Structure formats: structure tokens, C-alpha cells
Amino acid sequence: FMRFNPSPQKAVWMAVLFPGGGQIYNRKYWKLPIIYVGFLGLVYGYNWNQRYYKTYQNAYRDLMNGSANASYLQFLPGRTEEQKKQYAKNHYSYLQTTFQRKRNTYRNWRDYCVVGMLGVYLVSIVDAYVDAALYHFDVSPELDAMNNPAMVVSYKIDF
């Protein structure tokens, strides 16, 4: 019966080549759902924010250019297209700053999702290394420190 002795370098390379590969190599399968839920959640967030970023980017561009497409009209109150265009004409600067702010907000959130994905990837690599390096670390209860201090210092302050 061979005792499993993981190599930290091999665990890192497995984690670099395949997210979660280091955890599989270290036989820590319970960590895989954490890694993949993190990735999938951030991919979902990226797609969500990218969709809204594109929507507000098109609306802002159409408003600024006076485009015939006028995708910004979907956001405006009014029953007819003429009422919506009149509203846009009356509230042009407000709509301009609102669409610009929303576009920038969704772009920032999209970018944070990319940074988060990179973070999950790097944490999985570091976890694989640390787990392999400390695989045989003894955490048994026999390692408790004895609570017998060598010297006791006491003092009293009177006022």
C-alpha cells in the first residue's frame, strides 16, 4: 500500500492547466463545486452586465447621434413614437447623463466580473499548492500546548 504524497509543483501545474485540476490531483474533490460555482456565477454576471452595457451603449450612441434607429425610445414614457421623441427633446441632457452613467456602471460591473474570475483562478492555484505542501501536516489533538506557564507575573496598582 503506497502512501499518497502530492508534489506542490505538480499540483500548481495541474491547477494552471485546468481550473480545479490541482484540487483533483490533491484528492480534495469537495472543493470543486466551490471553484466552479464561483466561475459560473461570475460568467453569468459578466454576460448579464455585458447585455445591459450594450443596451445602454446603443441608447447613448443613438441619442447623441440622433440616429434613425433611436434605440433609446424604449426607455422613454409615452404611447406613440412622437410623444417619446418629444420627451427626449425636452429632457435631452438628463437622458444623456443617465444613459452615460448606466453604460459606465454596467461596464464597470462587467470588468469586476473579469477580475473576479481571475481571482478565483489564482486562489484555486494557491490553494492547490498549499494543500499539496501541507498534505501530511499533523493536526491531531496530541499536539495541544501544555498550559503550564513557566513564570506568573502579577501586579497591583493602588490610587
Side-chain angles (χ1 to χ4, degrees):
F1 172 63
M2 292 276 299
R3 185 174 175 191
F4 179 64
N5 190 19
S7 163
Q9 291 80 16
K10 189 171 182 182
V12 166
W13 280 110
M14 297 289 283
V16 167
L17 295 175
F18 178 70
Q23 285 71 22
I24 293 171
Y25 172 73
N26 289 332
R27 300 180 182 172
K28 301 291 183 171
Y29 306 110
W30 66 271
K31 294 180 180 181
L32 290 174
I34 297 169
I35 292 169
Y36 287 116
V37 165
F39 270 121
L40 291 175
L42 289 165
V43 166
Y44 179 80
Y46 175 87
N47 289 331
W48 173 278
N49 289 305
Q50 177 68 9
R51 183 174 56 241
Y52 281 102
Y53 166 69
K54 286 288 192 186
T55 300
Y56 284 106
Q57 180 185 31
N58 291 337
Y60 178 71
R61 186 188 62 236
D62 292 346
L63 179 69
M64 296 303 293
N65 295 337
S67 175
N69 183 15
S71 62
Y72 62 89
L73 294 176
Q74 67 180 323
F75 297 103
L76 304 182
R79 294 178 185 239
T80 66
E81 187 172 321
E82 193 56 43
Q83 288 175 334
K84 291 180 179 193
K85 285 185 179 182
Q86 184 61 40
Y87 181 86
K89 184 177 175 184
N90 295 340
H91 299 90
Y92 180 79
S93 63
Y94 167 75
L95 292 173
Q96 178 185 0
T97 57
T98 299
F99 290 150
Q100 186 178 26
R101 189 180 71 245
K102 285 191 173 280
R103 178 196 65 182
N104 293 341
T105 298
Y106 284 112
R107 183 185 57 220
N108 289 340
W109 289 349
R110 179 200 64 189
D111 294 347
Y112 292 150
C113 288
V114 172
V115 171
M117 284 186 267
L118 180 63
V120 169
Y121 181 63
L122 292 175
V123 165
S124 73
I125 293 170
V126 170
D127 175 68
Y129 175 80
V130 170
D131 197 26
L134 299 177
Y135 193 80
H136 296 295
F137 188 76
D138 189 9
V139 291
S140 64
E142 290 81 33
L143 296 177
D144 285 343
M146 302 299 279
N147 289 327
N148 297 328
M151 180 173 65
V152 177
V153 177
S154 65
Y155 59 93
K156 183 177 179 184
I157 299 175
D158 288 327
F159 290 100

